[in-house]
Amino acid sequence: MSSDELDFHLYDLEPADAASQHAEEQFWAGDFTVLAEHHTARDVSRSFVVAHDASVTWGVPGEPQICAIKVARDLNQNTFTFESSYHSTVSFAQNWLVEHGCPPEHLSQVGDDFIQPADALTTQVEQKLRTSGTRYTVLDSYTSDYDPCETWTLTRDSSAAQAPIRIFLEEGDFETHTYTTREGAFADESAARHWLDDRNGPLPNPPGDGRDTGAARTRAALTRSAGASAIPKVGLDTHSLPSPGPTQRPSPGRSM
């Protein structure tokens, strides 16, 4: 399977349940760009895919655009099951697939054609999310196509003794073809939403993190003064960044 063709090879198989039948009927492969994938070939063969759904950009502004897909084919029974879940970023989609049976090492990378992590901290945060199990409960998320070009995910950290509300903020830099992911910690949801609304300071580091906030403060000031680039983010330059085009558009409905 290549990154420009999403084919689960279900032609000779029947859906094992009503949910799988509905998922197959609603699925339009042309809307998806594969970002990461893993396949197994046994009596029950499985496909695990992380893909960007371009059709979401025509719907409600801010909706998550990254789809995690699991397909299991029972070749002895000639049936298949089809499950999917939408997420704000690739790492959250990978987490869902790991929880649904995919070995984490097989989905840890996206192709070199896609936008890449800018630094070691981004890789570290994403690895934590990918393998965190059910640690983080997603409370809300928002994907911004333009100005600013970012995605944030508001979560509750069940393992945090202090500041249990966490924001994961992903920002793209199209000049360097990279993106950063950062984690911020807040005492409660109200404080987190206040920061998202005002952006009046750097993203607060998690307790005990020890990172210098000076660089974060400088980046925040530069972002506010310069504004975000309006370069499209889909096609072969997509990671978990949103799709191009205006955020307010007629909605034909989600394809899956």
Side-chain angles (χ1 to χ4, degrees):
M1 185 186 297
S2 64
S3 292
D4 59 357
E5 181 181 359
L6 191 52
D7 183 355
F8 291 111
H9 304 289
L10 304 178
Y11 310 111
D12 297 326
L13 305 178
E14 296 293 329
D17 50 45
S20 297
Q21 180 177 355
H22 179 74
E24 184 196 22
E25 291 173 348
Q26 297 300 308
F27 181 73
W28 294 92
D31 291 333
F32 293 86
T33 299
V34 177
L35 305 178
E37 56 188 322
H38 174 63
H39 309 277
T40 65
R42 299 187 182 91
D43 287 344
V44 178
S45 65
R46 293 178 173 86
S47 293
F48 302 91
V49 175
V50 178
H52 177 263
D53 183 355
S55 73
V56 178
T57 66
W58 294 86
V60 178
E63 287 292 286
Q65 300 177 6
I66 306 301
C67 188
I69 307 168
K70 176 189 175 182
V71 174
R73 296 168 291 270
D74 189 331
L75 304 182
N76 292 323
Q77 300 295 324
N78 291 323
T79 61
F80 69 88
T81 58
F82 198 124
E83 301 173 79
S84 66
S85 178
Y86 278 80
H87 303 270
S88 54
T89 66
V90 166
S91 51
F92 279 100
Q94 290 168 328
N95 172 271
W96 186 88
L97 289 172
V98 170
E99 287 299 289
H100 284 73
C102 183
E105 64 273 13
H106 291 295
L107 284 178
S108 60
Q109 300 292 329
V110 298
D112 292 337
D113 289 336
F114 301 106
I115 190 169
Q116 297 295 310
D119 50 29
L121 181 55
T122 295
T123 302
Q124 176 184 332
V125 173
E126 291 190 316
Q127 173 64 12
K128 178 172 72 171
L129 288 172
R130 189 180 301 118
T131 59
S132 62
T134 59
R135 173 177 174 176
Y136 297 101
T137 300
V138 175
L139 305 175
D140 197 3
S141 71
Y142 195 89
T143 297
S144 175
D145 288 319
Y146 292 105
D147 194 20
C149 300
E150 66 176 32
T151 297
W152 56 257
T153 309
L154 181 65
T155 72
R156 181 180 300 277
D157 183 355
S158 62
S159 298
Q162 303 177 53
I165 302 300
R166 302 297 169 93
I167 289 175
F168 293 93
L169 179 66
E170 184 175 290
E171 299 175 291
D173 184 334
F174 300 104
E175 292 185 1
T176 62
H177 197 62
T178 61
Y179 67 96
T180 59
T181 302
R182 296 293 185 263
E183 176 183 3
F186 299 85
D188 53 45
E189 187 175 340
S190 176
R193 291 189 181 277
H194 179 74
W195 185 89
L196 286 168
D197 289 340
D198 292 350
R199 306 294 177 98
N200 55 1
L203 193 62
N205 292 338
D209 182 271
R211 283 187 280 120
D212 179 21
T213 60
R217 187 176 294 108
T218 299
R219 284 194 302 272
L222 289 173
T223 299
R224 287 193 299 271
S225 62
S229 170
I231 300 175
K233 306 189 242 356
V234 290
L236 294 181
D237 292 331
T238 304
H239 168 60
S240 56
L241 298 176
S243 305
T247 56
Q248 298 282 354
R249 286 184 254 183
S251 173
R254 178 165 291 170
S255 64
M256 185 175 180

